[in-house]
Structures are given as structure tokens and as C-alpha cells.
């Protein structure tokens, strides 16, 4: 075979290979930058949808969906704000269908929806901001759970954990809300960055934070081939209480032993804290009040137990408040003034006060949001294990 023919065959082979690679790639379309956070705290959102008739922005910082304008190459856009610095979920409504922002890798882990996230930084870095400080680690763990299932955890270890193999740490068990996953306190609540920053400022004690998945019933159904059950309709109804008790059993009999076997913990009640948001706060209170030998620090974020349930299930705590106050080094209750759980949470505070059970409280502006949750985490973690 002459040299010319051989070179021609090699060229054809190369072109065929290139064609195969190109055909294997999805069509890219024009580059879309979204979200674009501008210097004046306005934010520009863009979405590529050449065939769409209508696209709207739906965001937690807006009272109603905002219409977007179609531009060149079928890219819809809108600029809103200025927006108060924080992290917010948002999505697009494309001809009535809610979708994530495909140009954005940051998303909100949840069972029912997958919103995207936009981080509007402050002129002075907020408590959850990525700063040039020592950082801890995030680990994903799997443990043997109830009914032969496998549970999942996200675990934060503080800076220096791997470099100091003889040091043991207290543990904060932190539980997300209804429909949230074990990733939500990490990916939305930025708990790891909050702790990194507080530790760098000397405002908190080094601790391990364990973030479990709160929906045991859904996990059992998923792993055994069943349908996910609907959420309880009554917050303190029999079904809700049973699920909370199942979670408590899982946490106390499975999660804690797993963590204490695989991490360097100080394994006593004085060095265990438990906290949670919304449903996770209800699980926190029920788990702690049923296991006073396990936890000395309790934080309820936007959550409560009704006086009826307290009287029915946790009577010893309120009939002997002096003993309860000795056992609990911290009982924290916080809620936003616009939170749909505000009334019940304040009623819970009033009940504790009437029964002479000591607690610390914080009522903030805003509603049932992760913006508030980050604030509560930043306020409570410096109080733990002191």
C-alpha cells in the first residue's frame, strides 16, 4: 500500500471517529449564564427555551412569579432585585411546568421538588459564606437501619479531626424538615461552613454533626418495593407520632451506635445534642423527651409539641421541672413571626413557662425558611457543649 493511500485511510478513520464522538454528544445550544449575581445585588436569570410561549421566574424572594422576556436564540431572561444577601431557592415555570435551572449546579435536595439555589453574597461575608479558614470534612455514610433497610447519613467532622487521631468530640444530631433529605442541612443550610467560620472565630466548640434522613417510612417503602406513603395530615396525630417514634428508635438504637463505633465521640449525654427544623424539630423534641438519658442539649427550630401531647406523653418532664432543668443544659425554641407554625410554637413556649421548664427562645422576622434555619444554627451551636 503506497504512502498516499495509507494517509488517506488514516484521515477517513479519524473523521469517522470524530463523527462518532460528535454524534454521542447532546446538542449544546448557545451558552447560558444563570444565575448572574450583579455588583448591585440584582440578579439576572436566564433560561433557554426557543419553543416556549411563556417563561416565569418563581423565587422565594418574590411574592409572585415574574415574567421573563424572550431574546435572541430563544434565551429568556429577567433581572430582579436588589435582593437581600442570602441563599434562596428558585425555579422556572415554562408553559406552566416547573423546572430547575439547567445552567446552575446548585440545587435544593427534597423529596417533592428540586429547586435551584442562588447565593447573593453580602458586602461583609455572611456566617455561611466560604471563607479562607480551616475547613472540616463532609462524609456520606450508610448504616444498618430498621426492618433490614440501609439508612444514610451526612456527617461533618471539624477541622483537624483527621490530624488529631487521639481527640474525641461531642456530637450534634441535626434533622431536616418534612420532605427534606439528609443533604439539606449541608447543601442548603451550609452547616459545615457555618461551623467552620464559628470555629475560626473561637465562637463554638469543635463538634461532629450528624445529619440523618428523617422519613423512615419512605425509605422502608422504597427499599422494599412499595409506594412512598403520604405525609401525616395532623402534626400530632397517631400516624405522625408513630413515625416520630420510629425515627427515635432508629436514631437511638442504630444511628448513635454506628456513629460512636466509626467516629471518635465522647459517648455520654452531656456530649450529645439533638436539633431539627419543622418535622425534624418535632422528631427532636419527641426523641429527646423520650430519651432523657441520651441528650442534654435540645434545639427546636420552627417546631413544637402541643400542650395536649406534652400532658399525654411527657408528663414527668413538667410535673418535676426542677429535675428536668437539671437534666437539660439547653432547651432552645425558635420561630419566625411569619412562620405558619408561629402560633403553635409560641403556645409551646407559654406552656413551658407555665410549667417552670427553663428554655431559651428566639423569635425572628420571616417565615418557614432555610434563611431562618441558618440563623438559628449560627445562634445555637455556640451554646452547645459549654
Amino acid at each position: 500500500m503506497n504512502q498516499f493511500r495509507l494517509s488517506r485511510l488514516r484521515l477517513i478513520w479519524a473523521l469517522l471517529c470524530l463523527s462518532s464522538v460528535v454524534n454521542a454528544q447532546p446538542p449544546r445550544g448557545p451558552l447560558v449564564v444563570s444565575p448572574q449575581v450583579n455588583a448591585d445585588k440584582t440578579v439576572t436569570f436566564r433560561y433557554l427555551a426557543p419553543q416556549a410561549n411563556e417563561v416565569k421566574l418563581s423565587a422565594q424572594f418574590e411574592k409572585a412569579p415574574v415574567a421573563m422576556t424572550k431574546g435572541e436564540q430563544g434565551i429568556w431572561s429577567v433581572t430582579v432585585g436588589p435582593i437581600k444577601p442570602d441563599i434562596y431557592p428558585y425555579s422556572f415555570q415554562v408553559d406552566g411546568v416547573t423546572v430547575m435551572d439547567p445552567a446552575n449546579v446548585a440545587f435544593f435536595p427534597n423529596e417533592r421538588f428540586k429547586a435551584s439555589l442562588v447565593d447573593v453574597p453580602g458586602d461583609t461575608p455572611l456566617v455561611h459564606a466560604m471563607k479562607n479558614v480551616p475547613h472540616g470534612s463532609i462524609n456520606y455514610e450508610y448504616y444498618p437501619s430498621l426492618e433490614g433497610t440501609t439508612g444514610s447519613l451526612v456527617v461533618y467532622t471539624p477541622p483537624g479531626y483527621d490530624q488529631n487521631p487521639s481527640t474525641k468530640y461531642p456530637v450534634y444530631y441535626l434533622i431536616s424538615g418534612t420532605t427534606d433529605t439528609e443533604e439539606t442541612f449541608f447543601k442548603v443550610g451550609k452547616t459545615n461552613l457555618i461551623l467552620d467560620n464559628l470555629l475560626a472565630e473561637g465562637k463554638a466548640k469543635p463538634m461532629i454533626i450528624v445529619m440523618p434522613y428523617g422519613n423512615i417510612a419512605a425509605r422502608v417503602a422504597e427499599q422494599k418495593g412499595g409506594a412512598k406513603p403520604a405525609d401525616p395530615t395532623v402534626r400530632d396525630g397517631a400516624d405522625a407520632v408513630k413515625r416520630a417514634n420510629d425515627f427515635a428508635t432508629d436514631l437511638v438504637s442504630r444511628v448513635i451506635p454506628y456513629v460512636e463505633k466509626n467516629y471518635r465521640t465522647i459517648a455520654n449525654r452531656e456530649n450529645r445534642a439533638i436539633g431539627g427544623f419543622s418535622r425534624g424539630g418535632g422528631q427532636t423534641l419527641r426523641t429527646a423527651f423520650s430519651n432523657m438519658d441520651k441528650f442534654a442539649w435540645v434545639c427546636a427550630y420552627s417546631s413544637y409539641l402541643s400542650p395536649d401531647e406534652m400532658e399525654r406523653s411527657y408528663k414527668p418532664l413538667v410535673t418535676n421541672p426542677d429535675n428536668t432543668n437539671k437534666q437539660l443544659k439547653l432547651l432552645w425554641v425558635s420561630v419566625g413571626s411569619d412562620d405558619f407554625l408561629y402560633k403553635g410554637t409560641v403556645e409551646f413556649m407559654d406552656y413551658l413557662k407555665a410549667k417552670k421548664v427553663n428554655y431559651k427562645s428566639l423569635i425572628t422576622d420571616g417565615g418557614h425558611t432555610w434563611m431562618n434555619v441558618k440563623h438559628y444554627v449560627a445562634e445555637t451551636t455556640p451554646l452547645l457543649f459549654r
Side-chain angles (χ1 to χ4, degrees), residues 6 28 56-57 69 96 120 138 158 269 276:
L6 181 59
R28 293 177 180 239
K56 295 180 179 180
L57 168 70
T69 302
V120 182
I138 287 291
R269 69 180 303 274

Side-chain angles (χ1 to χ4, degrees), residues 302-341:
S302 301
S303 53
Y304 64 90
L305 296 184
S306 69
D308 287 345
E309 184 175 353
M310 290 295 297
E311 291 288 324
R312 181 175 66 249
S313 301
Y314 308 108
K315 189 75 171 178
L317 272 71
V318 294
T319 54
N320 191 351
D322 290 341
N323 184 56
T324 300
N325 293 333
K326 289 179 182 178
Q327 289 182 293
L328 292 179
K329 294 183 177 297
L330 175 67
L331 174 57
W332 170 283
V333 186
S334 52
V335 70
S337 57
D338 296 324
D339 196 312
F340 72 96
L341 298 181

Side-chain angles (χ1 to χ4, degrees), residues 370-383:
W370 277 89
M371 289 87 81
N372 265 345
V373 175
K374 292 196 299 294
H375 182 56
Y376 302 154
V377 170
E379 289 290 328
T380 52
T381 47
L383 304 177

